[in-house]
Amino acid sequence: MAGTLFLLLGRGWKIHYFNLANGCMGAMHTDRTETARIRLSEAKAASVKLSAHFYPPICDDLGIFYQPEILAKVVAVVRMANPTIVLTHSPTDYMEDHETACRLAVSATFVKNMPNAFSDPALPACSGPVAIYHAQPHGNRTPLGEIVKPEMFVDIDSVMKRKRELLECHRSQQTWLDVTQSMSSYVQTMVDYARQVGEMSRRFALAEGWRRRCTLGFGPEDFDPLGHALSSHIVRG
């Protein structure tokens, strides 16, 4: 989603960056503590390039569960940011951590303005409408192999160089993905998937795809801040 984030940044939006998991299992030759340290350093470097407010991770890899203690921590981050736009994972993806992160993001956003919803640390409820947009799943497919077509296509050709640089901050991913998923070039894989989404749009060479979540409980039915903010870079599916 970095292309969309860079376009929003260029239009004056403030960017907030939150990884739920610390990446501690994503290595073959360093232990959990060292791997988490490396991943944290890489994530912070990426957030600097994105001029984003960075929130530290709250879980180990494979430790993201939909439970009250974790949800309360996510609620706190949502209340600190009080976003108008939330960009999060696809509800269905190849990995449980991604799917559960999506559920937590949606629930935390839903209750951000409810005084009786707990947060950790305790923070007051915050008001204002918000819209949630789901990114494409890995490979643009569900875990069962069905193609996922976005509702909204964002032209990222003008920011692809910066998107590549952002992903290259996560250098420790290269060896891990090569060994575990035969993904010899994770940056090129990203470009290939962006090209696939661009082909789906029938207009753009490189694109990111988004599906807007039902606005019930979040804001007015026609509330579409991402679509309005990036109207000159968007086509609808």
Side-chain angles (χ1 to χ4, degrees):
M1 60 183 68
T4 299
L5 291 172
F6 275 124
L7 291 172
L8 287 170
L9 182 68
R11 281 153 183 75
W13 286 72
K14 294 180 180 178
I15 306 301
H16 296 256
Y17 176 20
F18 183 28
N19 291 335
L20 269 65
N22 62 15
C24 67
M25 295 187 187
M28 302 299 290
H29 305 295
T30 52
D31 64 19
R32 292 165 63 102
T33 301
E34 177 64 9
T35 302
R37 185 197 66 77
I38 292 169
R39 290 294 181 89
L40 180 62
S41 175
E42 292 172 341
K44 286 181 175 179
S47 74
V48 169
K49 285 183 177 290
L50 194 54
S51 301
H53 185 96
F54 180 81
Y55 300 90
I58 59 174
C59 301
D60 287 344
D61 284 359
L62 299 182
I64 301 177
F65 297 108
Y66 193 89
Q67 58 189 34
E69 295 81 3
I70 294 177
L71 178 59
K73 292 180 180 181
V74 182
V75 172
V77 170
V78 173
R79 285 178 175 172
M80 282 186 270
N82 194 16
T84 303
I85 295 171
V86 170
L87 306 179
T88 189
H89 297 73
S90 171
T92 56
D93 205 350
Y94 82 108
M95 186 178 179
E96 289 287 336
D97 271 2
H98 295 191
E99 294 183 340
T100 309
C102 173
R103 290 186 64 199
L104 290 164
V106 170
S107 292
T109 303
F110 189 83
V111 304
K112 76 179 181 71
N113 64 345
M114 296 181 180
N116 291 336
F118 294 111
S119 70
D120 179 14
L123 294 170
C126 54
S127 60
V130 59
I132 296 178
Y133 299 84
H134 295 288
Q136 287 292 95
H138 181 70
N140 298 313
R141 294 177 180 270
T142 72
L144 299 180
E146 299 103 342
I147 290 286
V148 174
K149 186 174 181 181
E151 165 200 350
M152 180 187 300
F153 298 88
V154 177
D155 180 9
I156 61 168
D157 191 60
S158 64
V159 290
M160 176 53 82
K161 182 174 183 284
R162 298 175 76 188
K163 178 180 169 82
R164 290 180 64 109
E165 291 173 353
L166 206 69
L167 189 56
E168 286 169 353
C169 289
H170 301 272
R171 298 185 187 282
S172 66
Q173 291 273 17
Q174 179 61 69
T175 302
W176 169 250
L177 292 173
D178 190 17
V179 172
T180 62
Q181 299 176 34
S182 300
M183 194 182 295
S184 58
S185 175
Y186 72 116
V187 176
Q188 185 58 49
T189 298
M190 177 273 292
V191 175
D192 292 343
Y193 288 154
R195 188 170 289 114
Q196 288 178 15
V197 177
E199 290 172 355
M200 291 184 201
S201 76
R202 300 190 177 186
R203 179 172 171 182
F204 303 137
L206 299 164
E208 290 173 355
W210 297 98
R211 289 172 291 163
R212 184 169 63 115
R213 192 176 186 89
C214 171
T215 59
L216 185 63
F218 299 99
E221 185 177 355
D222 61 351
F223 190 59
D224 182 16
L226 181 62
H228 288 119
L230 302 183
S231 58
S232 61
H233 285 77
I234 283 175
V235 295
R236 308 279 178 170

